[in-house]
Amino acid sequence: GNPLFVEQVLSMLIDDELLRRDDGHWVPTADLATIPIPPTIQALLAARLDRLGDPERQVIERASVVGKVFYQSAVSELAPEPMRPAVGGHLMTLVRKELIRPDHSDIVRETAFRFRHILIRDAAYAGMPKETRAQLHEAFAGWLERVAGERSPEFDEILGYHLEQAYRYRQELGMINARARSLAARAAEHLEAAGRRAISRSDLSAGQVLLTRTAELLSADDTHRLAIQLDLGWALNELGEFARGAAVIREAKEAARAAGDPALELRADLLELWRWDTHTSWDERGEIARQAIPFLEEHGDEIGLFFAHRLLAAMHWTQGRSGDSATELQRVIELARRTGAGHEGFLLHWLSGIYLWGTTPAEEGIRLCNELLAQASGLRLAEGSILVSQAVLSAMAGRVEEARGSAARAQPILEDLGGVLPVSVIGNRLSLMYTVLGEDEQVLETMREPLAVLERLGEQSFYSTMVATHGWTLARLGRLDEAEESARKGREASPPDDWASQIVWREAMALVEAQRGNLEEAERLAREAVGLTEGVDYLPQMADAWSDLGFVLRLAGRKEEAADALMQSLTLREAKGDVVRAERVRQELAALD
């Protein structure tokens, strides 16, 4: 911008000895009004670089290949051999000319510098021919691998970038030969490793960019490229880019079929069935996964087994069997760790949800969440999600300050991540903490933004449960028209076999109809909700269904039946260790007496 332009004009005048120091002041040595000024900052910077001596020009160009921050020994490595002993002196000249400055180094025993402005780096870089850039990017990657040694995996993204650039410039110059293809393969290897690590720590935006670049470096008939596309499709779906995710998976599936690779095609099928908007029921999806397992075992395809068992775990979860889901999920986690499939952050997030919604008592759930947090270091989705589960369980156990503390730590992590899952954790789980604490207005406020995001993305799996719960909360506050609207949205978005969504919209409408005096319809809906709890083990929602039936029966004046329903709710609250809401049920029973 303007400050940089002024700085560089003055520096140019000093370089040309048109300004000099005199008794502590700068004075002109000629009529500055006659000096031509370059019209743009790019032209000005190019003019300054043209005024450098040839050695300084070569040094700053090689520094520009490394990046905005660069290392003295790397520049020496890239410089022509006769120049190498003098590189340190040339760098100090560039410091005096205020083109670069010393900087902190992230590599031990390496002296680092930084360009004073990224536009200076860009101008130096633009002055080199493409063939020279290609050679220097490749040379720098070799230097970094050697210097990093055992730490080289930490620099996978940087190594991948430089090898990628070395290949791309050769590609632009039409120099595609065995060496260029080797560069592409090496770049893809580093970018894939960085992408999978990003996905594992739930940085899906970075992960999808890195995997996209990886896939673009590999040939269309490379089967490994197809496997990368499947993970890319998964990441895009989780980011809410459903159309692009579906297209990537479909492309990989068709390519696997054309290549005669049934195992890879089956993996694509399993990944397509993971999507919420498939018209295949969960029972059918589970059957397909079960049938796939023997084939995948026979072919030794553990990544495929990861997809199959993950689908089974999701089927049990969606149909309300948290115990069965946990058993299957342990197999999934073992396969993920054994194969390096990634997704560990997502899997730990899922496990903490089982502790929250399932049969695990609150106090034990808090302890297990602490154990999960130790495994989740650096996995931001997992950290945020586990902290939210811990917050809800602490609220149930009556540890209110601990609950609020965990929630306060979790919320900024999840808001920073973005994407479908973090948003759903805030809307569906964090709001539950406020429900437990009896703060229904805060429930609505917590859900407001997540509902808007999921509705905008067109996501329905998490949205159907969340919007129905939103209606249930509104009904408890007596805002019946709004409650009915949210319950209707939940009903319309709910697949027939999504247990949580199906039960909650019925609960919401039961409360609405009861308060409007339509007690027969209210009882029908409430009993349907209770009926859906048979064969499942989501204790908090099961208890809610019985409490709502008790509410309807009390309004109908059938106190004994209401008491029976409330006793069922109390038993479930006590089994979960939800001492806060158990006490509320006791108060309702006392009010009946």
Side-chain angles (χ1 to χ4, degrees), residues 443-478:
V443 172
L444 300 177
E445 177 59 27
T446 303
M447 286 183 169
R448 183 175 57 81
E449 182 62 21
L451 279 170
V453 170
L454 295 182
E455 192 166 20
R456 184 173 68 249
L457 291 173
E459 196 280 340
Q460 293 193 10
S461 179
F462 298 112
Y463 174 79
S464 61
T465 306
M466 193 187 305
V467 74
T469 306
H470 185 259
W472 180 66
T473 305
L474 287 165
R476 293 188 6 250
L477 289 169

Side-chain angles (χ1 to χ4, degrees), residues 352-408:
S352 75
I354 288 174
Y355 296 153
L356 168 58
W357 296 105
T359 58
T360 307
E363 290 288 355
E364 183 184 352
I366 295 167
R367 178 183 62 79
L368 290 171
C369 283
N370 278 325
E371 292 178 4
L372 287 186
L373 280 172
Q375 301 175 47
S377 178
L379 305 175
R380 305 241 334 135
L381 169 66
E383 289 177 352
S385 180
I386 294 164
L387 284 167
V388 169
S389 294
Q390 194 173 57
V392 180
L393 291 163
S394 296
M396 289 178 177
R399 294 155 63 167
V400 177
E401 292 308 311
E402 289 180 32
R404 295 192 191 280
S406 294

Side-chain angles (χ1 to χ4, degrees), residues 160 163-165 167-168 171 181 183-189 191 210-219 222 225:
L163 292 166
E164 180 185 29
Q165 293 300 106
Y167 168 72
R168 292 297 182 199
Q171 185 183 45
R181 286 190 288 272
L183 287 170
R186 289 170 59 200
E189 182 180 347
L191 291 174
L210 290 163
L211 292 185
T212 298
R213 288 163 56 193
T214 302
E216 289 171 351
L217 287 165
L218 300 175
S219 63
D222 188 329
R225 178 180 183 272

Side-chain angles (χ1 to χ4, degrees), residues 413-554:
I413 295 173
L414 296 167
E415 289 174 344
D416 183 57
L417 283 173
V420 171
L421 271 177
V423 163
S424 75
V425 171
I426 293 171
N428 276 328
R429 293 193 194 177
L430 185 57
S431 64
L432 178 57
M433 182 192 79
Y434 295 113
T435 297
V436 173
L437 296 177
E439 300 173 12
D440 285 338
E441 292 291 350
Q442 188 60 47
V443 172
L444 300 177
E445 177 59 27
T446 303
M447 286 183 169
R448 183 175 57 81
E449 182 62 21
L451 279 170
V453 170
L454 295 182
E455 192 166 20
R456 184 173 68 249
L457 291 173
E459 196 280 340
Q460 293 193 10
S461 179
F462 298 112
Y463 174 79
S464 61
T465 306
M466 193 187 305
V467 74
T469 306
H470 185 259
W472 180 66
T473 305
L474 287 165
R476 293 188 6 250
L477 289 169
R479 293 161 60 176
L480 304 185
D481 290 343
E482 296 170 83
E484 182 177 15
E485 175 66 12
S486 289
R488 180 188 60 76
K489 289 180 178 179
R491 182 185 64 219
E492 291 173 354
S494 299
D497 52 358
D498 184 342
W499 175 83
S501 300
Q502 288 291 341
I503 193 172
V504 178
W505 76 255
R506 285 176 168 83
E507 290 180 83
M509 282 307 303
L511 297 184
V512 168
E513 297 293 1
Q515 291 175 84
R516 286 175 173 168
N518 302 323
L519 295 171
E520 186 176 334
E521 177 64 6
E523 184 179 350
R524 182 186 69 78
L525 289 164
R527 290 198 182 278
E528 281 185 8
V530 166
L532 287 170
T533 67
E534 294 179 11
V536 303
D537 59 7
Y538 281 24
L539 299 187
Q541 283 186 291
M542 294 164 71
D544 289 340
W546 281 106
S547 280
D548 292 338
L549 177 59
F551 174 83
V552 171
L553 293 170
R554 179 176 64 80

